[in-house]
Amino acid sequence: MKLVKSLLLVTLALAAVGVQAKYNGEDRGRPVMPAEINAKMQAECSGCHMAFPPGLLPAASWKKVMTGLDKHFGTDASLSAADTKEITDYLVKYGSNRWTASTAPLRITESEWFKAKHLSGEISPAVWKRESVKSASNCMACHSGADKGDYNERNIHIPK
Ligand code: HEC
Ligand code: HEC
């Protein structure tokens, strides 16, 4: 019993080290929607895709995204100065609390943690090209509770 316990502890410790190394400090932290909901963010950032939970990127990324809204991934998503500031403050406040890298990707899908979870193994390359998925940014295609910050394994369904 004692041996089983210590083996378990060693395995857990190794797993923790592995996770650290794999993401190179790019760690999403809390993926859930914060208890404090910002109505403006929900309204203005959900027109073209779901409103992404802020914990998926570090504060520095959100600042970059929010200062480039007029040239937002090929579209113009610009807002008034007041709305931009309110939404930026909210996203920055709840950005990833575990990001130790100095990197600040513009996309969640470009981050090391995202690639480690999605682009190695399990999901075949063809899946990303399906009409039902289209883009890796389309989290809702596979995580039905993504807009609520639910990425639980139990609620993942890869569409046909
Ligand atoms: C006018 C449409 C539009 C609006 C409004 C909009 N976006 Fe986007 N956003 C896009 C498009 C298009 C993409 C690229 C999607 C893709 O590559 O499939 C994108 C991608 C993103 C990504 C990167 C997703 C990834 O690939 O990891 C983030 C982060 C993001 N948007 C944040 C925001 C925030 C924050 C707001 C609100 C201030 C917002 N967006 C409002 C159109 C919009
Ligand atoms: C094509 C389907 C698909 C799409 C699209 C997708 N995911 Fe995933 N995601 C998965 C699968 C499958 C896993 C489980 C991978 C594993 O654990 O090995 C996963 C795992 C995750 C996890 C880790 C859950 C955990 O606790 O380990 C998070 C967080 C996540 N995805 C967020 C996102 C976000 C954010 C987006 C959109 C920007 C997204 N995913 C788009 C299929 C998808």
Side-chain angles (χ1 to χ4, degrees):
M1 193 58 209
K2 216 173 159 203
L3 180 67
V4 171
K5 244 189 195 164
S6 34
L7 275 177
L8 185 68
L9 284 178
V10 168
T11 312
L12 285 176
L14 283 176
V17 170
V19 162
Q20 286 284 318
K22 196 151 87 184
Y23 305 159
N24 291 327
E26 294 191 1
D27 195 327
R28 66 179 189 271
R30 40 187 174 212
V32 294
M33 268 295 176
E36 179 193 346
I37 294 287
N38 182 274
K40 207 147 265 170
M41 194 281 278
Q42 292 291 339
E44 302 295 350
C45 304
S46 66
C48 309
H49 46 68
M50 69 169 209
F52 298 110
L56 297 171
L57 283 172
S61 291
W62 288 122
K63 284 184 194 157
K64 266 199 225 168
V65 168
M66 294 303 291
T67 47
L69 284 181
D70 57 328
K71 290 184 206 70
H72 183 74
F73 305 99
T75 66
D76 184 352
S78 51
L79 299 167
S80 72
D83 288 358
T84 303
K85 183 179 184 314
E86 181 181 326
I87 295 172
T88 305
D89 289 350
Y90 175 77
L91 292 170
V92 163
K93 181 174 174 188
Y94 291 108
S96 170
N97 57 342
R98 287 211 307 243
W99 199 283
T100 55
S102 57
T103 50
L106 260 189
R107 285 179 178 269
I108 298 158
T109 51
E110 271 169 7
S111 61
E112 293 300 325
W113 75 259
F114 186 91
K115 290 191 268 184
K117 287 278 173 191
H118 298 87
L119 305 181
S120 55
E122 209 169 314
I123 313 171
S124 83
V127 164
W128 300 107
K129 300 199 185 91
R130 283 183 192 156
E131 193 58 23
S132 51
V133 178
K134 277 202 191 108
S135 165
S137 318
N138 186 12
C139 322
M140 295 287 283
C142 305
H143 302 275
S144 50
D147 53 346
K148 291 169 201 77
D150 175 6
Y151 297 94
N152 197 297
E153 301 253 6
R154 282 189 309 250
N155 301 325
I156 300 176
H157 307 282
I158 307 228
K160 294 283 168 237

